[in-house]
Amino acid sequence: GPVHVGDAGPGQRRHQLASAPGMVEVHDMATSPAELAVMQKLAATGLPVRVVVYLDDSDASFAWLAAHPGGAPQVLGPDLIVAGMKLFADGALGSRGAALKEDYSDMHGHRGLPTGPEALRDKAVRAAQLGYPVAIHAIGDLGNDHALSAIEAAQRARLDAAGARSGRWLRTAASPRPCGLAQRPSAPPCAAATRPSPAPCASTPSP
């Protein structure tokens, strides 16, 4: 159910359950500012696990980024960090939401549910101009193309805003683009175990 700022008790118990088997860090993706406020309240008394947050792409989250102009990472406590913003280029493969360049083999005429590439790019650029990287959910080949375009635009915006700084960005084997972007692909453990690894690509080191 919805999380309220006063609900620190259940949240603390969840963190304790997470730390019991030896977990030391979690990444909370697409966190709202209201949820972040709960985490900050918990962090004031000490979190049993380190929490790395990527805010959602709501107007409230952009307002939070603008109010913290130092850029990422924003260290809100010894165990709470805001590292960037989470964006979505498409949906999930199983629900036929992943954006493809061709029809699904079992659903003629359907190619997924892509996020508008212009909106995705604009949000990535806006976050970069505020000093925050983006983590983009992109499953289908079309979704990955849209994500790469957004990342390229964000990288240019970041270079314009902060000088010659190279980011660590994603490149996928599904894209025919040259290896100009440093790769940092990420997949759930189940996907990593069942799918082939991306083709190797020379990465650009970051200073």
Side-chain angles (χ1 to χ4, degrees), residues 3-12 14-15 26-56 64 74-83:
V3 177
H4 302 288
V5 174
D7 294 340
Q12 187 70 53
R14 286 194 293 272
H15 281 109
V26 296
H27 285 210
D28 198 54
M29 310 302 285
T31 304
S32 71
E35 291 167 334
L36 180 60
V38 174
M39 294 180 190
Q40 286 185 268
K41 186 173 182 178
L42 296 175
T45 58
L47 292 170
V49 293
R50 185 181 303 110
V51 181
V52 179
V53 168
Y54 282 76
L55 291 173
D56 63 20
W64 193 98
Q74 284 288 326
V75 180
L76 305 182
D79 297 307
L80 181 60
I81 297 171
V82 175

Side-chain angles (χ1 to χ4, degrees), residues 2-206:
V3 177
H4 302 288
V5 174
D7 294 340
Q12 187 70 53
R13 288 194 291 273
R14 286 194 293 272
H15 281 109
Q16 290 169 347
L17 288 172
S19 64
M23 185 180 297
V24 297
E25 180 175 296
V26 296
H27 285 210
D28 198 54
M29 310 302 285
T31 304
S32 71
E35 291 167 334
L36 180 60
V38 174
M39 294 180 190
Q40 286 185 268
K41 186 173 182 178
L42 296 175
T45 58
L47 292 170
V49 293
R50 185 181 303 110
V51 181
V52 179
V53 168
Y54 282 76
L55 291 173
D56 63 20
D57 62 350
S58 65
D59 289 341
S61 289
F62 276 109
W64 193 98
L65 299 187
H68 296 79
Q74 284 288 326
V75 180
L76 305 182
D79 297 307
L80 181 60
I81 297 171
V82 175
M85 175 172 278
K86 179 66 180 287
L87 304 178
F88 290 84
D90 58 5
L93 186 63
S95 61
R96 305 301 185 267
L100 306 181
K101 295 179 180 179
E102 299 180 3
D103 292 355
Y104 278 83
S105 61
D106 59 350
M107 191 176 290
H108 180 69
H110 182 71
R111 298 189 177 188
L113 302 170
T115 301
E118 295 83 7
L120 182 67
R121 183 192 63 238
D122 290 348
K123 288 181 177 180
V125 167
R126 188 177 172 189
Q129 289 172 334
L130 291 170
Y132 292 84
V134 293
I136 304 180
H137 168 104
I139 303 300
D141 52 359
L142 180 62
N144 272 278
D145 270 2
H146 291 172
L148 286 166
S149 293
I151 288 168
E152 288 171 338
Q155 188 175 40
R156 288 193 297 270
R158 190 159 184 156
L159 287 169
D160 290 342
R165 296 173 57 188
S166 64
R168 296 184 178 95
W169 304 114
L170 165 73
R171 181 186 182 275
T172 65
S175 172
R177 301 180 186 207
C179 297
L181 301 177
Q183 61 172 339
R184 183 171 283 188
S186 175
C190 58
T194 58
R195 299 177 189 171
S197 299
C201 174
S203 62
T204 303
S206 296

